[in-house]
Amino acid sequence: MGMQAALLHMVYPPQCVACDAMVASDFGLCGACWRETPFVTGLVCDQCGTPLPGQDPGHAVHCDDCLAIARPWSRGRSAMLYRDKARSLVLQLKHADRQDLARPAGGWLMRAAQPILRPGMLIAPVPLHWLRLLRRRYNQSALLSAQVARLSGLDHCPDLLQRQRNTQTQEGRSRDGRFANLADSIRVHPRRSARVEGRHVLLIDDVMTSGATLAASAEACLAMGAAEISVLVLCRVAKEC
């Protein structure tokens, strides 16, 4: 740590990103908040990253959802489950202008992504419709994808995908309703199509529930010639084991 940074820490000690308690380093969680944050560890579904019971059998395993639904991507991981402190952090990032949370979240995503990262991947976020982007002023998924690209050194295209129509909220919809709501709503940006062809694309989003948004994004990339798709999310909505 440089002298200037040390002096700043004396004047403004590092605080927990969740509760403002004093912590040892910037952009960290205090012990209490760490214990209340459900990070995904152990055996996970190889397509969505939800935790699974049992020990690692030495080959890919899948959750019930991914066995029941044909996913247009090959592999996926999630950093946390969408509950407790993790849910609070995502909602603050998404709706409370807590853009600073993207930095620690990028580190959490990187740890989860290690088994699926590949050289030459193209990283891209799930897009917002321009009207929603205008209201929110930023795409939280793009903040996350930028951090993962920075930490991994992989190619990043924040505007690879576009929402062609402003879809209604997914809240309260059934699984089939979520997929129907997103059908044909996302496309590859016409000026970015050359960047997709033949590439392994890593799609990043803040939360995965049914996977409808990621599926629509993956299908758009595959339609433009992507070789393979993987997905990475900050939080997975999942049943507890």
Side-chain angles (χ1 to χ4, degrees), residues 75-199:
R75 305 185 74 189
R77 289 295 186 274
S78 57
M80 303 180 288
L81 292 178
Y82 188 63
R83 56 179 172 80
D84 304 329
K85 284 291 182 181
R87 182 177 183 274
S88 174
L89 290 168
V90 167
L91 292 176
Q92 289 180 61
L93 171 64
K94 196 169 185 174
H95 300 298
D97 202 22
R98 285 291 307 278
Q99 297 183 50
D100 60 294
L101 292 174
R103 181 166 172 175
W108 304 332
L109 284 164
M110 274 295 294
R111 284 196 291 273
Q114 290 305 311
I116 65 171
L117 291 180
R118 296 290 180 269
M121 271 182 160
L122 175 65
I123 295 179
V126 165
L128 287 179
H129 189 267
W130 69 268
L131 285 174
R132 192 167 297 176
L133 184 60
L134 188 65
R135 289 194 298 269
R136 192 174 295 168
R137 298 184 295 105
Y138 61 92
N139 177 0
Q140 71 280 356
S141 297
L143 297 179
L144 297 173
S145 64
Q147 290 295 325
V148 174
R150 178 182 65 84
L151 293 169
S152 65
L154 294 170
D155 194 12
H156 185 220
C157 188
D159 61 347
L160 180 70
L161 296 167
Q162 292 180 319
R163 290 228 186 202
Q164 300 183 87
R165 55 187 175 83
N166 193 14
T167 53
Q168 300 300 310
T169 179
Q170 295 280 68
E171 292 184 16
R173 294 178 185 270
S174 66
R175 187 177 68 186
D176 290 344
R178 286 172 176 266
F179 279 86
N181 187 42
L182 270 296
D184 301 319
S185 65
I186 296 174
R187 68 172 183 175
V188 171
H189 192 299
R191 293 197 294 273
R192 303 291 182 263
S193 57
R195 300 190 65 178
V196 176
E197 190 171 357
R199 301 289 295 276

